[in-house]
Amino acid sequence: MPLPETYLQMMSTVSEGAELRMELVEQPMPTPKAGEVLVRVEASPINPSDQGVMFGWASMAECSSTGEGSATVLTAPVSPQGMGVMKARIGQQLPVGNEGAGTVVAAGEGAEALMGKTVAVMGGAMYAEYRCLPAAMCMPLLPEHTAKDGASCFVNPLTALSMLETMRMEGHTALVHTAAASNLGQMLNRICQADGVELVNVVRRPEQAELLRDMGAKYVCDSSSETFQADLTDAVHATGATLAFDATGGGELASKILSAMEAAAARTPGAYSIYGSVAHKQVYLYGGLDVSPTVLSRGYGMAWGVGGWLLPNFLAKAGAEVGERLRTRVVAELKTTFASHYTDEISLVEALQSDVVARYYAKTTGEKFLVCPQKD
Amino acid sequence: MPLPETYLQMMSTVSEGAELRMELVEQPMPTPKAGEVLVRVEASPINPSDQGVMFGWASMAECSSTGEGSATVLTAPVSPQGMGVMKARIGQQLPVGNEGAGTVVAAGEGAEALMGKTVAVMGGAMYAEYRCLPAAMCMPLLPEHTAKDGASCFVNPLTALSMLETMRMEGHTALVHTAAASNLGQMLNRICQADGVELVNVVRRPEQAELLRDMGAKYVCDSSSETFQADLTDAVHATGATLAFDATGGGELASKILSAMEAAAARTPGAYSIYGSVAHKQVYLYGGLDVSPTVLSRGYGMAWGVGGWLLPNFLAKAGAEVGERLRTRVVAELKTTFASHYTDEISLVEALQSDVVARYYAKTTGEKFLVCPQKD
């Protein structure tokens, strides 16, 4: 079957006029050069990190869409504060969609072995009907895998595995995770149980606690409970966790976790000095579900840190060998440990319709959307 | 001259009844064991880090003193929040005073060479008439030095030098310092000028900016100015600073510094990705002049960190050789680079009088108190 002459690709632009604009741009079909392949993209998830690039600091509660079919355009206003933060991207048309999977439909010289294979890709610009990229960036799936199986091979699985790598590299032995009932949080539970690592799960509702306990989680603390701070301190004390990954980012949660770690250290003989507990306590903010400022009370001595954590930055620091080891494990356990579940499958056009945007922008725990660029 | 049979030592206690109590306790005069010396303490500064142990989270605006002479007692109430933070020290009588200098008046076997020498000591429990400790903890001063010259040999000089060591160890090339007109800040300016390191000084008042410019500081930003954020961004851009040491701790200053670093990176081709600037930006909070919560807006990408920084923790991490190198430099430059100036010299008893406490507790920039335990 001959390839079409053009394909559609989703783009996000912040204009000088303080407007976010998302649309489908028609691109000429590329011919793969030596070492490259052309992938027909069949499935690509919407992760929170994708939404960061798609919407940035735009006021999405006020978004609206116009036009129909491939001419659909989504717009949203941007506040002066948002414009300040997004200064570096103003006027640039940015491709979106970090990861996905599909079929290799054309191959350049030296890449012929991938022809017809189902591959997973973390190459950016995946919310598109086609993607041309170096064969080295493709991870071939096993014969029993569909593109949907492999769509979320990278972001969530590698993030969860990299959290454990970070824990080991920085000398911690257990960890705390917030928004723990998420797709990523459930994955992290499966990995920790397999690897024998103690994990403290922080959730926001009783039914999420139940879900995690049903899947074998030993430590679950509900932040909506009146006894949350005491529960968290007990769990941190029992596990010895001095590292946390927080998906919410804003508010007082990071500070509460550090306070619990400090209170747990105060119960442990020798762990405490007049300047506070001696062991370094670290909270990494890897998401921003709560966009309000992070508020730190600082009542936890001097050996603490809070900072941003981003998968590509970690992988660059950890080196190629670590990355390869983690990827190999993902493919081997794709239908078990690293299985993802999707709430809905949407087309490129649907992903620009304001009513659909409102649904996935809500980032409801347990809900995950899959973009299927071949869907009409 | 024979030694007295007892000596006075200042102690700080937080009681179960939510009261801070500071007093002078009579101790039996010790006889140095093998390898130990007895130092008659003649001068010991009051650093902000000393006040952390002396007063902790007590409500010092409500402190009062009773009694006279060596029976003077200072008390202050402690809020429920303060009691929570100080849980681990409740009921413990803590000695205070990190560093100081004096004369060796008795020496155990093997330590005789120090007899009669003027030495600087960082041993804790220095707000006392005498201090018995291992000879290895004493740093002999040069013949031209008095105890007053050597009283502040450790905390400020080693902190300033360790900031530069941290900068080098963590791969930064320039730095930002807040409360820059302080004794420590002026010292840091002298070191940076000598070592050719670019330093951005953040001060709170125009006259402090003038003071620093008069001593040769190239980059001074006044946080009370309307153009502060723009000035800071320009200075960070000019110096390439990606590391800051903040003495204030609370409020939005750390966040403003990170925002300036991010805005500076956005001006630099290649320094910026869609997830924000690529280089790691770090702010260490080494003091708490502002006890309000630290508020982080997080509009600076993912490669950033904020955390506590404490000299003993740094020295333990850096190792003995680094510590030795830094101490050698301090003694060699004690009357120049590392000279300290004192606002007032007070006795142990005066240090417990509420009107005197009010003066040094204010931590006014440029004011520094020296405790002289031999003073009546």
Side-chain angles (χ1 to χ4, degrees):
Chain A
M1 206 168 72
L3 291 167
E5 286 181 15
T6 62
Y7 71 94
L8 293 174
Q9 177 177 24
M10 193 184 293
M11 292 289 195
S12 169
T13 315
V14 176
S15 72
E16 287 283 359
E19 187 186 68
L20 172 86
R21 179 186 174 92
M22 287 182 59
E23 64 205 310
L24 298 177
V25 174
E26 199 167 347
Q27 304 278 18
M29 185 67 68
T31 304
K33 301 197 193 82
E36 287 185 346
V37 293
L38 181 68
V39 177
R40 185 179 65 220
V41 184
E42 286 146 9
S44 176
I46 302 181
N47 293 310
S49 52
D50 293 310
Q51 296 201 37
V53 186
M54 292 167 86
F55 308 129
W57 291 64
S59 305
M60 295 309 293
E62 299 163 52
C63 77
S64 60
S65 47
T66 54
E68 285 196 1
S70 63
T72 303
V73 174
L74 179 80
T75 58
V78 183
S79 69
Q81 194 215 349
M83 288 300 283
V85 176
M86 297 196 291
K87 212 169 172 181
R89 62 172 282 187
I90 293 171
Q92 289 178 55
Q93 211 176 38
L94 297 177
V96 286
N98 280 310
E99 67 178 335
T103 307
V104 175
V105 292
E109 199 189 321
E112 297 87 351
L114 284 177
M115 192 61 198
K117 290 260 163 67
T118 304
V119 295
V121 178
M122 175 146 163
M126 295 301 289
Y127 296 163
E129 292 172 316
Y130 291 84
R131 177 78 168 92
C132 185
L133 78 176
M137 291 176 74
C138 297
M139 187 163 79
L141 300 177
L142 303 178
E144 65 266 34
H145 295 148
T146 64
K148 191 177 159 185
D149 290 333
S152 295
C153 254
F154 294 94
V155 177
N156 275 352
L158 290 183
T159 297
L161 287 172
S162 294
M163 286 175 176
L164 282 174
E165 291 295 317
T166 299
M167 179 193 84
R168 292 181 187 112
M169 276 169 59
E170 300 186 0
H172 305 276
T173 55
L175 70 168
V176 177
H177 183 231
T178 75
S182 67
N183 202 305
L184 174 67
Q186 295 182 34
M187 210 174 264
L188 191 60
N189 269 278
R190 292 192 290 268
I191 301 170
C192 285
Q193 285 171 31
D195 290 12
V197 171
E198 300 269 42
L199 173 66
V200 178
N201 295 278
V202 176
V203 298
R204 285 166 287 186
R205 287 196 303 272
E207 59 271 29
Q208 296 171 333
E210 205 180 312
L211 182 152
L212 286 172
R213 284 210 183 86
D214 284 348
M215 63 179 285
K218 198 165 152 194
Y219 302 99
V220 187
C221 303
D222 177 358
S223 61
S224 72
S225 157
E226 275 185 21
T227 59
F228 173 63
Q229 194 64 31
D231 297 346
L232 184 60
T233 302
D234 287 345
V236 165
H237 184 239
T239 57
T242 46
L243 174 65
F245 285 91
D246 175 29
T248 63
E252 299 184 357
L253 188 53
S255 199
K256 285 179 178 174
I257 293 168
L258 289 168
S259 295
M261 289 173 177
E262 188 71 359
R267 291 185 193 170
T268 312
Y272 210 81
S273 82
I274 188 61
Y275 296 109
S277 69
V278 175
H280 184 77
K281 300 162 291 298
Q282 180 70 37
V283 179
Y284 285 118
L285 312 180
Y286 76 95
L289 295 175
D290 177 349
V291 296
S292 73
T294 311
V295 179
L296 307 172
S297 73
R298 299 199 319 287
Y300 20 81
M302 297 302 279
W304 61 273
V306 169
W309 189 92
L310 187 71
L311 178 63
N313 293 1
F314 169 78
L315 290 175
K317 200 169 119 187
E321 263 179 59
V322 171
E324 185 56 37
R325 173 163 53 79
L326 303 188
R327 278 191 295 273
T328 303
R329 179 168 177 183
V330 173
V331 176
E333 302 174 29
L334 195 52
K335 292 200 142 189
T336 53
T337 314
F338 302 108
S340 284
H341 303 281
Y342 303 98
T343 313
D344 210 348
E345 301 182 13
I346 58 177
S347 69
L348 286 171
V349 170
E350 286 167 331
L352 296 181
Q353 291 167 348
S354 55
D355 56 330
V356 181
V357 170
R359 286 170 58 217
Y360 65 76
Y361 188 73
K363 301 187 192 89
T364 308
T365 301
E367 295 217 346
K368 198 170 182 72
F369 284 69
L370 189 69
V371 175
C372 298
Q374 306 302 323
K375 188 184 172 209
D376 274 334
Chain B
M1 209 170 72
L3 293 167
E5 286 182 12
T6 61
Y7 70 94
L8 295 173
Q9 176 177 25
M10 192 184 293
M11 292 289 195
S12 170
T13 315
V14 175
S15 72
E16 288 283 0
E19 186 187 67
L20 172 85
R21 179 186 174 91
M22 287 182 59
E23 64 205 309
L24 299 175
V25 173
E26 200 167 345
Q27 304 278 19
M29 186 67 67
T31 304
K33 301 197 192 84
E36 287 185 348
V37 293
L38 181 67
V39 178
R40 186 180 64 222
V41 184
E42 286 147 9
S44 177
I46 303 182
N47 293 311
S49 51
D50 293 310
Q51 296 201 38
V53 186
M54 292 166 86
F55 308 129
W57 291 63
S59 305
M60 294 309 293
E62 298 163 52
C63 77
S64 60
S65 46
T66 55
E68 285 196 1
S70 64
T72 303
V73 175
L74 179 80
T75 57
V78 182
S79 69
Q81 195 214 348
M83 289 300 283
V85 176
M86 298 196 289
K87 212 169 172 181
R89 63 171 284 187
I90 293 170
Q92 289 178 55
Q93 209 175 40
L94 297 177
V96 285
N98 280 311
E99 66 178 337
T103 308
V104 175
V105 292
E109 200 189 319
E112 297 88 349
L114 284 176
M115 192 62 198
K117 290 259 163 68
T118 304
V119 295
V121 178
M122 176 147 164
M126 295 301 288
Y127 296 163
E129 292 172 316
Y130 292 86
R131 177 77 168 92
C132 185
L133 78 175
M137 291 176 75
C138 296
M139 187 162 79
L141 300 177
L142 303 178
E144 66 267 32
H145 295 147
T146 64
K148 192 178 157 183
D149 291 333
S152 295
C153 254
F154 294 94
V155 177
N156 275 353
L158 290 183
T159 298
L161 287 173
S162 294
M163 286 174 176
L164 282 174
E165 290 294 318
T166 299
M167 180 194 84
R168 293 183 187 110
M169 278 169 58
E170 299 187 0
H172 306 276
T173 55
L175 70 169
V176 177
H177 184 230
T178 75
S182 67
N183 203 303
L184 174 68
Q186 295 182 34
M187 209 173 266
L188 191 61
N189 269 278
R190 292 192 291 267
I191 301 170
C192 285
Q193 285 170 32
D195 290 12
V197 171
E198 300 269 42
L199 173 66
V200 178
N201 294 277
V202 176
V203 297
R204 284 165 290 184
R205 286 197 304 272
E207 60 271 29
Q208 297 171 333
E210 206 180 311
L211 183 151
L212 286 171
R213 285 209 183 88
D214 284 348
M215 63 178 286
K218 197 164 153 194
Y219 302 98
V220 186
C221 303
D222 178 358
S223 61
S224 71
S225 157
E226 276 184 20
T227 58
F228 173 64
Q229 194 64 31
D231 297 345
L232 184 61
T233 302
D234 287 344
V236 164
H237 184 240
T239 57
T242 45
L243 175 65
F245 286 92
D246 175 28
T248 63
E252 297 183 358
L253 188 53
S255 198
K256 285 179 178 173
I257 293 169
L258 290 168
S259 295
M261 289 174 176
E262 188 71 0
R267 292 185 194 169
T268 311
Y272 210 81
S273 83
I274 187 61
Y275 295 110
S277 69
V278 175
H280 184 77
K281 299 161 293 298
Q282 180 71 37
V283 179
Y284 284 119
L285 312 180
Y286 76 96
L289 295 175
D290 178 348
V291 297
S292 73
T294 311
V295 178
L296 307 173
S297 73
R298 300 200 319 287
Y300 20 81
M302 297 302 278
W304 62 272
V306 169
W309 188 93
L310 187 71
L311 178 62
N313 293 1
F314 169 78
L315 290 175
K317 200 168 118 187
E321 263 179 60
V322 171
E324 185 56 36
R325 173 162 55 79
L326 304 188
R327 277 190 295 273
T328 303
R329 178 167 178 185
V330 173
V331 176
E333 302 173 29
L334 195 51
K335 292 199 141 191
T336 53
T337 314
F338 303 107
S340 283
H341 302 282
Y342 302 99
T343 314
D344 209 347
E345 301 182 13
I346 59 176
S347 68
L348 286 171
V349 171
E350 286 167 332
L352 296 181
Q353 290 166 348
S354 55
D355 55 332
V356 181
V357 170
R359 286 171 57 216
Y360 66 77
Y361 188 72
K363 301 187 191 90
T364 308
T365 301
E367 296 217 345
K368 198 168 181 73
F369 284 68
L370 190 68
V371 175
C372 298
Q374 306 302 323
K375 189 184 171 211
D376 272 337

